[in-house]
Amino acid sequence: MKKLGRKALAVAVAVALGAGVTSVVTAPATASVNGGEAHGGEATFLVLTPQGATVDRALARVAAADGRVVADYRQIGVLVVRSANRDFVADTAGAGVESVASTAGLGTVLDEGHTVELTPAQVAAAGGDPSTEPLFEQQWNMPMIDLPRAHTVTAGSADVVVGVLDSGISSSHPDLAGQIARDKSASCLGGVADTTEAAWNPTTSDHGTHVAGTIAAARNGVGVTGVAPGVKVAAVKVVDNEGYIYPEAAVCGFMWAAEQGMQLTNNSYYIDPWQLNCRNDARQRPVWQAVQRAIRYSQSRGVLTVASTGNSHHDLAHRFVDSGSPNNGTPEVREVNGACLVLPAQAPGVVTVAAVGPTGQKSYYSSYGQGVVDVTAPGGDSRIRTQGLAPTTADAILSTTFNTVTRTDGWGWKQGTSMSGPHVTGVAALALSARPGTTPGQLAALLERTAVPQPCPAGGYDPVPLLPSATDYTATCQGGTRNGFHGAGIVNAYRAVK
């Protein structure tokens, strides 16, 4: 994918191969909709109305201000509107409308690094245990979460559907073609659900394909295996062709998952170009309100949200100075305080996931924080360990890929908290398969209760001592059995299902 740098750092090596009544508005198959920017002179707006009240007055104000509603999420009091009226915000103010915000400039860049392709011959030469999957021996991450033993209990149920809110999933990939719930997949670009298959397939990014493979790649004698190969994944595309995530797309994604009866969503991204959404900032508060309402609604419909902490190596439990945001324009220097949170990772009820490398220690890039991180999982830690040695992909996460230039499917390595999140989502899917009817709250508690505690390193932690910018990665771990680096510990698939 084009863009998860600070958000979900990735190093990739690809292997190339030849609801409510008006909750969702479906776009025409020919629509080309990104978010936030002008659409034929129109801008996109979020219009928030009082929850639980009628939206009739808000609809009337929108119409009077020359706006048109493209998605009506009245269950949560959120309308996605387009208008060419430059005074739209002022013209809609009044009774029946809580707040209005243009989403122009609120797209978050997703930067996942570069891709180096291998040939099919190199894949064949990789060998592996034919009784599992050809590339399983290179999936060091799966034994780390005790997956082989878990699969003796369950590989997952097809009744469990995981929404992958990301850049789309390749429907032609041999490890994923039979795993996709096509009838529940959609593109949510522009805040509008488009169910055509071309719309929810990847265009400029393979990030969602990689995430989906970690969750549910099939056990079919081809490639890799996912954590829960028996479950289904639904592509919910929220990343546009320029690599941006706009808040209206995320709101649509959460609402779509809820209305389609999904039980889990994986969110390996963050919303807001300022990296953290500050509720005390007038530019950002409507985004926080709309996204939180959508997440809360999905929870009420039985959906557990799993989200990554991000790759900025920030202590999210303490104040710090953010000098690199917004990431889509001129950075502003601002102090980040308790009113500023990563969305969706720090929204209430969300399972927040940090990353570890092959040693089980915090990955150097992973953001952290006592009371913020719930659990951790393998995300990779490809870094210099000995003077003179280059980082190795063997320390990253191997999964399914899609080359967006050659339009070919394959396998490859990435690293980031984007990769740790789907491990947790996969374990949750296994646990739900073993315990049908488990509520989102119960499932979140189960993940923490069955995680294997990972203590803080003695005397703090400096994961990249040999890099010139080592001081940029110095971190202090706080807490005991449950701590800021690892939360309750590394998720354990066997303990979660036995």
Side-chain angles (χ1 to χ4, degrees), residues 141-151 491-495:
N141 44 308
M142 297 309 184
M144 176 176 275
I145 63 170
D146 211 356
L147 189 66
R149 285 206 301 169
H151 281 180
V491 290
N492 186 282
Y494 179 64
R495 293 175 63 170

Side-chain angles (χ1 to χ4, degrees), residues 84 105 195 297 312 369 379 422:
T195 58
Y297 179 79
S312 299

Side-chain angles (χ1 to χ4, degrees), residues 33 69 73 76 118 217 219 235 241 270 321 328 366 384-385 405 424 483:
V33 180
V69 176
Y73 301 111
I76 61 172
L118 300 180
R219 289 197 304 190
N241 290 346
Y270 72 74
V321 174
N328 61 0
S366 181
I384 297 174
R385 292 182 176 178
V405 176
V424 175
N483 56 68

Side-chain angles (χ1 to χ4, degrees), residues 30-313:
T30 57
S32 177
V33 180
N34 290 323
E37 75 268 19
H39 302 262
E42 294 181 324
T44 302
F45 299 86
L46 291 177
V47 177
L48 276 68
T49 69
Q51 292 190 85
T54 178
V55 299
D56 291 347
R57 286 188 293 179
L59 292 173
R61 288 188 175 278
V62 166
D66 296 326
R68 60 187 183 91
V69 176
V70 296
D72 180 344
Y73 301 111
R74 63 183 59 198
Q75 310 96 309
I76 61 172
V78 175
L79 306 175
V80 179
V81 178
R82 296 203 186 109
S83 177
N85 178 5
R86 294 186 178 183
D87 297 320
F88 181 80
V89 174
D91 290 349
T92 51
V97 174
E98 282 190 355
S99 60
V100 182
S102 168
T103 63
L106 293 183
T108 302
V109 179
L110 204 64
D111 187 358
E112 63 173 295
H114 65 282
T115 299
V116 180
E117 295 185 346
L118 300 180
T119 66
Q122 289 173 308
V123 178
D129 183 354
S131 67
T132 54
E133 297 294 287
L135 299 176
F136 183 77
E137 289 181 1
Q138 298 182 53
Q139 292 184 274
W140 58 265
N141 44 308
M142 297 309 184
M144 176 176 275
I145 63 170
D146 211 356
L147 189 66
R149 285 206 301 169
H151 281 180
T152 65
V153 179
T154 180
S157 166
D159 293 332
V160 175
V161 180
V162 178
V164 180
L165 275 62
D166 214 294
S167 64
I169 301 174
S170 173
S171 60
S172 60
H173 199 290
D175 254 343
L176 293 171
Q179 308 299 94
I180 301 173
R182 296 166 191 260
D183 61 328
K184 298 181 184 296
S185 295
S187 166
C188 269
L189 301 188
V192 182
D194 181 348
T195 58
T196 57
E197 186 167 337
W200 52 258
N201 262 261
T203 47
T204 58
S205 166
D206 73 340
H207 189 268
T209 299
H210 195 278
V211 166
T214 297
I215 296 170
R219 289 197 304 190
N220 57 0
V222 176
V224 297
T225 186
V227 176
V231 308
K232 296 292 185 180
V233 288
V236 185
K237 192 173 184 177
V238 297
V239 182
D240 73 12
N241 290 346
E242 281 67 52
Y244 288 92
I245 304 154
Y246 284 87
E248 62 267 29
V251 169
C252 169
F254 291 121
M255 297 301 291
W256 177 260
E259 300 294 3
Q260 295 301 310
M262 300 179 201
Q263 297 96 327
L264 295 155
T265 65
N266 186 88
N267 303 268
S268 292
Y269 60 89
Y270 72 74
I271 304 164
D272 202 303
W274 279 273
Q275 189 165 2
L276 289 92
N277 185 280
C278 295
R279 294 166 290 177
N280 57 352
D281 185 328
R283 297 172 295 180
Q284 300 172 288
R285 181 169 175 79
V287 172
W288 164 261
Q289 291 174 315
V291 171
Q292 181 167 301
R293 287 183 186 184
I295 293 174
R296 187 184 300 120
Y297 179 79
S298 71
Q299 291 168 344
S300 74
R301 298 294 295 267
V303 184
L304 177 65
T305 303
V306 178
S308 304
T309 59
N311 300 336
S312 299
H313 188 69

